[in-house]
Amino acid sequence: MKKKIASALFILVCGGLAVSALMHMMDDAEGPGDGLSESETRVLTQVIAHPYPDGGYNVVSPRTVIAPLWGHDARSTEARKQTILAALAPKDPAAASMVERLYQRNNASVHLALKSQPDKGYIVDDGRYEALFQPDGGGWAKWRTAYPKAREYIRFSRPVYDPRTGLFIIYIEGRDAASGAGVVKLLKDDHGKLITIGVAPLWKL
């Protein structure tokens, strides 16, 4: 009898672990066409959320930007990577592996299936805002007159989320008519609350 009970418990435990692992894999699976897991999408929407009291909003590009992570050649790319590591590695021992994964996932620009959330302070560009910066598009001057409540134009890399540690890393940049900056952020998802672990500045206007 004891052997049967022990065997049953073993099956239940192993089965539970298998189900847990399967759910973990499903949660981290990439969504169709966008290359983001459900967890990454959930955390990403928190990162770009920025409600404005006056109803203003940021404009988010649905296409990832990768150029700021890469240099003109292997040497300059490595130098850029070391700049990121120097800022983030002292903050968390897992930063080095997260930076490597960030580069692995951003060797090409991809289109992300994001939805606008005006109540959270951002809309996803449908091409109208990007068109302003094409030849004869009007630039920031037209931006201000045509979309007076639009604040910054936000672009970011494909993010990386590690559900085991709760760490999330992303390159993100924002520009407006007067200034701009691009940084790599290492954050931690602490039971739904994002905590900034470290920031690595890459450029500033």
Side-chain angles (χ1 to χ4, degrees):
M1 178 62 72
K2 289 182 178 178
K3 288 183 178 179
K4 288 183 178 180
I5 293 174
S7 177
L9 286 172
F10 179 77
I11 292 171
L12 283 172
V13 170
C14 290
L17 290 173
V19 171
S20 176
L22 179 60
M23 291 179 68
H24 194 94
M25 290 170 63
M26 290 174 65
D27 183 55
D28 203 39
E30 292 186 348
D34 62 10
L36 293 182
S37 70
E38 290 182 13
S39 296
E40 287 168 344
T41 301
R42 174 177 56 81
V43 181
L44 177 59
T45 56
Q46 293 183 62
V47 172
I48 60 180
H50 190 112
Y52 291 93
D54 63 353
Y57 58 90
N58 290 327
V59 181
V60 173
S61 171
R63 179 157 290 278
T64 60
V65 57
I66 63 171
L69 293 173
W70 301 89
H72 300 295
D73 52 31
R75 178 177 293 182
S76 57
T77 295
E78 183 60 27
R80 201 160 294 183
K81 188 184 293 185
Q82 291 304 315
T83 297
I84 299 170
L85 286 171
L88 301 183
K91 306 295 184 180
D92 192 288
S97 63
M98 293 295 288
V99 170
E100 285 300 325
R101 290 175 62 188
L102 181 67
Y103 272 83
Q104 290 168 8
R105 293 200 72 190
N106 285 280
N107 55 8
S109 179
V110 298
H111 190 279
L112 301 180
L114 298 173
K115 295 181 179 179
S116 296
Q117 298 195 53
D119 59 316
K120 293 186 178 180
Y122 71 89
I123 65 168
V124 178
D125 189 6
D126 59 3
R128 286 178 294 172
Y129 295 85
E130 187 178 19
L132 296 176
F133 303 101
Q134 301 302 315
D136 301 320
W140 288 111
K142 187 172 181 180
W143 171 296
R144 287 194 295 265
T145 56
Y147 309 105
K149 289 196 172 183
R151 303 298 168 78
E152 294 186 47
Y153 195 76
I154 306 295
R155 300 197 301 171
F156 42 79
S157 69
R158 219 169 151 184
V160 175
Y161 177 70
D162 185 346
R164 293 178 296 277
T165 62
L167 290 175
F168 182 91
I169 191 168
I170 187 173
Y171 167 79
I172 186 166
E173 66 180 39
R175 297 172 183 260
D176 60 23
S179 61
V183 302
V184 172
K185 285 189 173 185
L186 181 66
L187 305 106
K188 188 176 181 66
D189 182 13
D190 185 15
H191 300 93
K193 181 181 180 181
L194 284 182
I195 300 172
T196 300
I197 303 298
V199 178
L202 290 187
W203 63 270
K204 187 175 182 180
L205 296 177

